[in-house]
Amino acid sequence: MMLEGSLKNIHAFIYLIKNQPDLFLIENRDEDLKQASANFGETEDDIAENILEWCEKYPSIENALSLTRQGLDSGEIQLTNRLPGITKLTAPPPPPPPKISRETLLNAIQESFPNKSK
C-alpha cells in the first residue's frame, strides 16, 4: 500500500503508538501527547504537521517515526485490518477522510495510554 506524505506520517505515527507504546511512556510523553493532540488540526496535512512538530521534542520518537515511514515505503511494515482471533490478513481499509484520520489518531492514543487515574 503506497501512502502519500501526510497520510504516511499519520499511519506511521499510529503504528508506533500501537506497536511501540514504550517509546511514549518514558518521561510522561503519553500525557504530553494527549494534551497536544487536543489541539491537532482537522485536515490530514495539519495533523501530519502537528505530529512532526510534537516529535521534534522527542528525538527517539522522531527517529522511530522516520524508520517506520521507511518501512511503510519499502513494504517491510504492512498495515493490516485484523480483528482479534483472526489469523488471515485482510487488505488495509482505504485511506480515511481527514476527520476520520484525526479521530483514528485520538482513539489510538486513548486506547494505548488510558488514563492513569483509574
Side-chain angles (χ1 to χ4, degrees):
M1 172 169 145
M2 198 64 171
L3 300 172
E4 295 302 318
S6 293
L7 194 56
K8 186 188 313 175
N9 283 328
I10 295 168
H11 279 283
F13 195 66
I14 292 171
Y15 181 89
L16 281 178
I17 289 169
K18 290 184 175 185
N19 294 286
Q20 296 182 30
D22 291 347
L23 278 173
F24 298 87
L25 296 175
I26 302 167
E27 301 168 352
N28 293 320
R29 295 173 184 176
D30 60 318
E31 291 300 319
D32 184 42
L33 178 58
K34 286 179 192 174
Q35 291 172 358
S37 66
N39 297 316
F40 281 6
E42 292 292 329
T43 69
E44 289 175 358
D45 289 339
D46 289 342
I47 295 167
E49 184 64 31
N50 295 142
I51 288 169
L52 293 174
E53 287 172 5
W54 183 84
C55 287
E56 287 176 359
K57 295 191 292 184
Y58 305 105
S60 60
I61 295 175
E62 189 174 35
N63 185 49
L65 182 65
S66 176
L67 293 173
T68 302
R69 284 194 311 257
Q70 290 172 13
L72 288 171
D73 281 343
S74 70
E76 182 181 326
I77 295 174
Q78 296 291 318
L79 300 175
T80 61
N81 187 21
R82 258 175 64 186
L83 298 173
I86 297 176
T87 57
K88 181 181 176 189
L89 296 178
T90 58
K99 186 166 177 62
I100 300 296
S101 291
R102 184 175 192 275
E103 290 172 2
T104 302
L105 173 61
L106 295 176
N107 286 339
I109 292 168
Q110 186 59 38
E111 289 171 7
S112 295
F113 314 112
N115 285 339
K116 294 178 182 175
S117 61
K118 290 184 177 182

